[in-house]
Amino acid sequence: MNILIKQGRLIDPRHRVDAVQDLYVSNGKVVGIDHAPDDFMPNEVIDASGLIVCPGLVDVSARLREPGNEYKASLKSELHAAVAGGVTSLACPPDTDPVLDESGLVEMLRHRAKQLHLSNVHPLGALTRQLAGKQLTEMSELTDAGCVGFSQADEPIMDTLVLWRALQYAATFGFTVWLRPQEPYLAQGGVAHDGEVAARLGLKTIPVAAETLALATILHIVRETGAKVHLCRLSSAEGVAMVREAKQQGLHISSDVSAHHLHLTEHDIGFFDANCHLRPPLRSQRDRDALRQGLADGTIDLVCSDHAPVDDDAKLVPFGEAEAGATGLELLLPLTLKWAEEQKVALVEALARITSTPANILGIAKGHLGLNAAADICIFDPAQYWKVTAANLRSQGKNTPLNGLELAGKVRYTIVNGGIAYRS
């Protein structure tokens, strides 16, 4: 299929392109930029005047709830949500049921996703069997099956020796380990930030120290082993400062923040809004401001959706009993644009944090629009506002703390591997 995308504002962060140009797509590849290849005859012409044409978004954390939790969401429903949000590649954590700790499970997931012809799915394999934190998985076999890294999702490794051995082994073979820093004993039973709101509402808390103590351990082991670690979902000002210092020391680390944590604080819990029960918890305004600044200055490398659809029954309970998580795939782009506008960050820099940078960290050949690149493309209207409502979300999970909010940035087309996967 040949597609001509006419007169859009082409923004390609990797190649530092920001100009109104035509883009030519053929057989799943970008075959021309501003100049048509010889004998190019389009099957479809997209008039992108007034729209932005950028690489398809790359999301490093999207739970698809399959296998094992199809009552919450399905591969099909969430990949439709992904393309509606302009996400053409995503990484899914291994906390499915069964856990992604065997190569056969990874191969089956990838095969099923490929059959849908929607977003590209790149699984993270389990770092330990059953995510139990005791026995390492066969990382080489999982890599051969298609895993792009190894993670414990939200399950901690209690035994520091196991964590040490895991990073030591990963370093030997060049695997990337994805870890969310949280000291399990300090966080045990907690559901909210240890601050004034939790104190007023009487909620069990998770102190910032739960993040910083775990970070200190991880960074020390990284320093000793030389492992390559991606730190997931930073939530505190102290955590950002520690990562900044570690990067200055040359440690091989990267980090991310969820789009929700860039905009919300503990005060958004209001009167026990269970949709604000997130993991890690929403923290203070000072923490949120540090996250926003850390993303702007490059201490934090990228933004992710941390998409976690939850069924209504799991949210229609008291805050402390509600399941943590929120839908996010369709909010990643508008929330990143909102952060960029408020922080006065150039659009090309903002888009880098949800396209080329996550692709680099995942080690996948995505996130750019150079000649012969995979034709994974997002075309969106930066000026069109839309309201976040259950009816407007494609995800099976309608749970979001942003319900009713109007956001700028509406995806008009999503092209995956040269085919139109979504149009509005």
Side-chain angles (χ1 to χ4, degrees):
M1 183 177 184
N2 293 346
I3 303 174
L4 166 58
I5 304 170
K6 288 183 63 177
Q7 292 300 291
R9 179 182 169 190
L10 179 64
I11 299 181
D12 182 0
R14 181 178 296 180
H15 298 100
R16 311 305 296 175
V17 171
D18 184 352
V20 175
Q21 293 180 325
D22 295 338
L23 194 68
Y24 300 85
V25 170
S26 180
N27 294 321
K29 302 284 187 182
V30 175
V31 296
I33 302 171
D34 212 26
H35 300 288
D38 293 340
D39 302 324
F40 184 89
M41 293 294 292
N43 305 104
E44 177 148 0
V45 177
I46 296 175
D47 181 1
S49 303
L51 306 179
I52 289 176
V53 180
C54 69
L57 275 56
V58 179
D59 187 2
V60 302
S61 182
R63 286 169 171 81
L64 305 173
R65 300 307 194 192
E66 193 175 329
N69 292 291
E70 288 83 354
Y71 65 97
K72 296 178 182 175
S74 68
L75 198 60
K76 186 176 182 180
S77 69
E78 301 320 286
L79 292 185
H80 273 295
V83 294
V87 176
T88 56
S89 292
L90 58 86
C92 55
D95 52 350
T96 48
D97 183 14
V99 168
L100 295 179
D101 61 1
E102 293 183 4
S103 57
L105 292 169
V106 174
E107 289 167 351
M108 184 183 299
L109 177 63
R110 294 186 68 221
H111 175 73
R112 292 207 58 224
K114 193 172 182 180
Q115 296 298 106
L116 292 171
H117 302 291
L118 295 167
S119 295
N120 304 293
V121 173
H122 303 276
L124 294 171
L127 186 61
T128 62
R129 290 193 178 278
Q130 297 297 305
L131 299 175
K134 295 179 180 177
Q135 184 181 0
L136 303 188
T137 55
E138 297 290 344
M139 296 187 207
S140 293
E141 289 183 8
L142 289 169
T143 300
D144 292 342
C147 288
V148 293
F150 298 92
S151 164
Q152 279 291 110
D154 288 324
E155 299 300 323
I157 294 181
M158 302 278 197
D159 188 332
T160 310
L161 180 59
V162 173
L163 179 60
W164 188 294
R165 293 267 165 78
L167 295 193
Q168 200 171 41
Y169 182 85
T172 302
F173 294 94
F175 302 138
T176 302
V177 176
W178 296 58
L179 295 172
R180 186 167 76 81
Q182 180 163 283
E183 205 286 324
Y185 292 106
L186 282 178
Q188 200 167 33
V191 295
H193 170 61
D194 187 10
E196 57 181 289
V197 175
R200 173 168 53 82
L201 299 178
L203 297 172
K204 292 184 178 179
T205 61
I206 301 175
V208 165
E211 179 167 290
T212 54
L213 279 175
L215 260 178
T217 301
I218 293 168
L219 294 175
H220 186 83
I221 299 176
V222 167
R223 192 174 288 109
E224 293 295 325
T225 62
K228 186 165 58 175
V229 169
H230 180 80
L231 299 162
C232 308
R233 316 306 100 79
L234 292 183
S235 70
S236 69
E238 286 81 359
V240 174
M242 291 174 71
V243 169
R244 184 177 290 120
E245 182 179 354
K247 282 191 167 184
Q248 289 169 350
Q249 293 172 357
L251 268 63
H252 203 166
I253 57 171
S254 54
S255 63
D256 69 55
V257 61
S258 91
H260 288 107
H261 285 75
L262 290 175
H263 297 283
L264 302 174
T265 71
E266 58 179 334
H267 293 282
D268 289 292
I269 292 175
F271 293 98
F272 302 101
D273 181 359
N275 287 318
C276 289
H277 185 184
L278 305 177
R279 189 181 292 129
L282 296 170
R283 297 202 181 275
S284 69
Q285 183 168 333
R286 171 177 168 271
D287 292 311
R288 186 199 62 178
D289 292 347
L291 293 170
R292 292 161 69 96
Q293 181 56 41
L295 183 63
D297 67 24
T299 300
I300 298 174
D301 298 87
L302 61 94
V303 190
C304 71
S305 74
D306 202 22
H307 179 71
V310 176
D311 62 304
D312 290 343
D313 289 345
K315 287 292 188 184
L316 294 174
V317 293
F319 188 94
E321 300 172 20
E323 183 175 338
T327 193
L329 275 166
E330 294 155 90
L331 305 175
L332 178 60
L333 175 65
L335 290 180
T336 302
L337 296 177
K338 181 176 170 64
W339 161 80
E341 181 180 9
E342 293 171 355
Q343 290 291 123
K344 303 189 185 311
V345 173
L347 193 51
V348 65
E349 297 295 338
L351 292 176
R353 286 154 174 80
I354 50 176
T355 58
S356 55
T357 300
N360 288 342
I361 291 172
L362 287 169
I364 59 176
K366 303 288 185 180
H368 73 97
L369 293 176
L371 282 177
N372 296 317
D376 290 354
I377 301 165
C378 173
I379 303 173
F380 68 94
D381 186 341
Q384 182 178 347
Y385 279 81
W386 62 284
K387 182 178 281 190
V388 181
T389 65
N392 286 337
L393 294 172
R394 297 294 184 95
S395 171
Q396 188 170 321
K398 308 298 183 185
N399 48 295
T400 169
L402 302 175
N403 191 34
L405 186 69
E406 287 198 350
L407 294 169
K410 181 66 177 173
V411 174
R412 298 285 298 277
Y413 294 88
T414 301
I415 296 171
V416 183
N417 297 319
I420 297 176
Y422 173 82
R423 70 174 81 205
S424 67

